[in-house]
Amino acid sequence: MSSLRVLPLGPPGAGKGTQSRRIAEAYDINHISTGDMLRANKDMETDHGTPGEYMDAGELVPDPVMKAVVEEALSDLDGYVLDGYPRTLEQAEHLESVTDLDAIIYLTVDREELIRRLSGRRVDPETGQNYHVEFDMPDDPAVRERLVQRTDDEPDRVETRLEEYATKTRPVIEHYTDHEAFVEIDGNQSPDEVWEDIDAVLRDVGE
Ligand code: AMP
């Protein structure tokens, strides 16, 4: 297990989840995904209602809930890739108070491409594996049959998520641009090409 701390940033649909899984595997670090953690705890009662109420609407879960979730997840961890946090300036300040970062990787993707990726995404409810109706369908007909669309990938929710990103998360990117560990990578490329760019950056950081 390495002690590398990696923060992927970018809009919904940029490929943070896909790339985070590869980073975690290649660099032997933990993959912390706030989206996955929240999906597993959608009905958890908090002072602000349940996470599911916000997620199904495509809105951000309130900061106090997120801070508690992330603080708990990061406690006692050595290396990690933190996928999905921070999404507000308040969360960014919180993260800075609890940890340092070795690499901040900002994936840029055009708006039409984001919409195409999110609206075509399908999930296998049994394995959690993501597919895409246009360019990545499973070979197994049984798996094809059981694929579902995430509620928040439906068109009006996609619109809301991109708006939430533009108003609340864009300032987080601005906040990190001057950080010495910040790098920007073209996320419009294929997953393998994006991975090559990320791997080159992280190999450098590790040296
Ligand atoms: P994701 O799987 O990363 O797209 O996250 C799915 C949903 O979980 C988001 O649309 C939000 O509703 C919620 N969520 C995940 N991470 C955060 C966060 N850092 N702050 C607020 N809400 C979050």
Side-chain angles (χ1 to χ4, degrees):
M1 179 70 63
S2 111
S3 61
L4 191 66
R5 294 170 176 189
V6 185
L7 181 67
L9 293 175
K16 297 190 297 294
T18 305
Q19 298 298 336
S20 293
R21 278 186 285 278
R22 291 183 81 156
I23 295 169
E25 196 185 334
Y27 288 86
D28 192 23
I29 53 180
N30 298 282
H31 176 199
I32 306 294
S33 159
T34 52
D36 286 352
M37 286 192 296
L38 292 170
R39 275 185 285 280
N41 294 283
K42 271 185 114 167
D43 301 324
M44 173 178 76
E45 290 294 345
T46 76
D47 290 347
H48 303 266
T50 66
E53 290 165 30
Y54 299 91
M55 298 169 77
D56 288 347
E59 293 165 8
L60 293 186
V61 174
D63 287 336
V65 177
M66 293 312 303
K67 288 190 210 175
V69 166
V70 166
E71 203 149 326
E72 159 96 34
L74 293 187
S75 66
D76 295 333
L77 280 194
D78 209 4
Y80 56 76
V81 48
L82 180 56
D83 165 14
Y85 188 92
R87 274 165 143 120
T88 66
L89 273 179
E90 194 175 324
Q91 293 178 13
E93 278 155 20
H94 168 248
L95 186 63
E96 267 158 34
S97 73
V98 296
T99 190
D100 292 327
L101 296 164
D102 300 307
I104 302 169
I105 296 173
Y106 173 39
L107 299 174
T108 58
V109 179
D110 300 337
R111 186 183 161 84
E112 289 112 79
E113 176 66 10
L114 293 174
I115 293 173
R116 195 161 75 108
R117 289 185 189 175
L118 292 169
S119 55
R121 175 160 66 183
R122 296 293 181 273
V123 186
D124 178 351
E126 288 192 17
T127 62
Q129 171 79 36
N130 285 332
Y131 296 94
H132 193 279
V133 288
E134 274 174 72
F135 37 77
D136 181 24
M137 281 298 268
D139 295 331
D140 184 343
V143 178
R144 278 208 297 275
E145 188 81 5
R146 65 174 186 241
L147 294 184
V148 293
Q149 184 173 41
R150 263 169 58 171
T151 310
D152 62 348
D153 282 342
E154 290 170 17
D156 55 332
R157 319 298 153 80
V158 165
E159 204 56 50
T160 306
R161 286 162 73 200
L162 292 176
E163 263 169 47
E164 288 276 81
Y165 177 80
T167 56
K168 297 178 182 161
T169 311
R170 273 294 323 176
V172 173
I173 313 288
E174 313 297 337
H175 172 82
Y176 280 115
T177 43
D178 291 335
H179 195 294
E180 57 182 12
F182 183 89
V183 284
E184 189 171 320
I185 286 178
D186 179 8
N188 292 293
Q189 307 176 91
S190 72
D192 285 347
E193 288 166 333
V194 174
W195 166 245
E196 277 173 32
D197 287 358
I198 292 177
D199 192 25
V201 168
L202 294 181
R203 259 185 277 133
D204 261 6
V205 170
E207 274 165 14

